[in-house]
Amino acid sequence: MLADRPFRTLLKREILRFMRVWMQTVVPTLGTSVLYLVVFGLALGSRIREVSGVPYLEYILPGIALMNLVTGAHMNSSWSVFDAKRERYIDEVLISPMSDLQIALAYTLGGTLRGMLMGTGVLLVGVPFVGLHIEHPLLLVLIGALSAFIFSALGTAAGALATRIDHISLLTNVVIQPLAFLGGVFYSVDMLPQALKVATMLNPIFHTVDAARYATLGISDLNPYPTVGIVFLLAALALGAAWLAISKGPNLRY
């Protein structure tokens, strides 16, 4: 019970951190998502009328929402933890009566909420374009929460392990964003040659996108329920990585 109040305080701080500057943290991403819908939906939609019997613009909307969800969740926690290290206010967090797991969880949940808000915002912005009907709303909430949690936890680990600001930017620009674009957001895996199919199957973002597309549209490239199991497993592994990084990360403790 002693660590409950510090945990809630840190979590509240992480939420207020992005909510107080929502014009910088949320609105620009929604604008970018509208551009994706317009550019990809109109440009490719004129050539690709349907995918799996679904209009192309409607087909890509869940993937765009997931892409923004995971990138937003990851960026929030990675920058938050790294800034705490750089400015040394991480010291107050570390000496509080919280375990390393609680610290990792607080940072991760803060990023998870930001990711969920961004994903929800993209869906709401996209509805006027496609008139979206959600087949399995509760499953969509679950997949969105787990997906945001996974990449927020990985962001927590990245922030704890990074020793320079370049490391955060490199991971976001060279790993996370390419994986998001190659995660089946704009195409079905059945469109790909065999070698690229195998590579896509190894992309964790593909599994979250495919599960979200099933929850939203009722179609998927894979059997949806084993995919949901994979997403749960990834969430557990990501939390373990964040916990270990907070425990052992460089420059966290003198």
Side-chain angles (χ1 to χ4, degrees), residues 87-129:
E87 303 298 330
R88 293 315 310 170
Y89 57 81
I90 192 70
D91 296 335
E92 284 76 13
V93 175
L94 294 173
I95 64 175
S96 68
M98 283 190 291
S99 66
D100 292 337
L101 177 59
Q102 287 177 308
I103 295 171
L105 191 58
Y107 280 114
T108 297
L109 289 176
T112 299
L113 180 59
R114 178 180 170 184
M116 288 288 289
L117 289 175
M118 292 172 70
T120 302
V122 172
L123 284 178
L124 293 177
V125 167
V127 166
F129 289 89

Side-chain angles (χ1 to χ4, degrees), residues 11-27 76 109-118:
L11 178 57
K12 180 180 178 180
R13 179 198 176 278
E14 287 303 298
I15 295 172
L16 291 176
R17 178 178 176 271
F18 69 85
M19 290 298 292
R20 285 178 174 172
V21 289
W22 59 273
M23 286 293 291
Q24 301 174 34
T25 57
V26 177
V27 172
N76 189 85
L109 289 176
T112 299
L113 180 59
R114 178 180 170 184
M116 288 288 289
L117 289 175
M118 292 172 70

Side-chain angles (χ1 to χ4, degrees), residues 100 104-105 108 152-158 160 237-247:
D100 292 337
L105 191 58
T108 297
S152 182
L154 293 177
T156 300
L237 293 175
L239 179 60
W243 183 6
L244 182 62
I246 291 294
S247 301

Side-chain angles (χ1 to χ4, degrees), residues 52-72:
S52 301
V54 175
Y56 183 69
L57 193 58
E58 187 173 348
Y59 182 84
I60 66 175
L61 180 58
I64 292 176
L66 254 291
M67 182 173 66
N68 283 275
L69 179 148
V70 300
T71 54

Side-chain angles (χ1 to χ4, degrees), residues 38-200:
V38 172
V39 173
F40 284 93
L42 295 181
L44 294 180
S46 62
R47 299 175 180 271
I48 307 172
R49 296 293 183 182
E50 292 185 347
V51 178
S52 301
V54 175
Y56 183 69
L57 193 58
E58 187 173 348
Y59 182 84
I60 66 175
L61 180 58
I64 292 176
L66 254 291
M67 182 173 66
N68 283 275
L69 179 148
V70 300
T71 54
H74 178 269
M75 288 178 62
N76 189 85
S77 55
S78 60
W79 283 105
S80 184
V81 175
F82 183 79
D83 281 345
K85 285 174 56 177
R86 182 174 57 180
E87 303 298 330
R88 293 315 310 170
Y89 57 81
I90 192 70
D91 296 335
E92 284 76 13
V93 175
L94 294 173
I95 64 175
S96 68
M98 283 190 291
S99 66
D100 292 337
L101 177 59
Q102 287 177 308
I103 295 171
L105 191 58
Y107 280 114
T108 297
L109 289 176
T112 299
L113 180 59
R114 178 180 170 184
M116 288 288 289
L117 289 175
M118 292 172 70
T120 302
V122 172
L123 284 178
L124 293 177
V125 167
V127 166
F129 289 89
V130 300
L132 190 67
H133 170 71
I134 299 175
E135 293 286 337
H136 308 286
L138 294 180
L139 180 60
L140 181 61
V141 172
L142 175 63
I143 293 299
L146 287 173
S147 301
F149 186 88
I150 290 167
F151 287 91
S152 182
L154 293 177
T156 300
L161 295 174
T163 56
R164 299 204 316 260
I165 195 170
D166 306 16
H167 297 159
I168 300 294
S169 300
L170 183 69
L171 182 63
T172 301
N173 296 328
V174 177
V175 179
I176 300 297
Q177 288 186 350
L179 285 178
F181 275 102
L182 299 174
V185 173
F186 300 104
Y187 54 83
S188 168
V189 72
D190 293 333
M191 298 176 175
L192 301 175
Q194 187 59 36
L196 289 179
K197 281 184 181 181
V198 174
T200 301

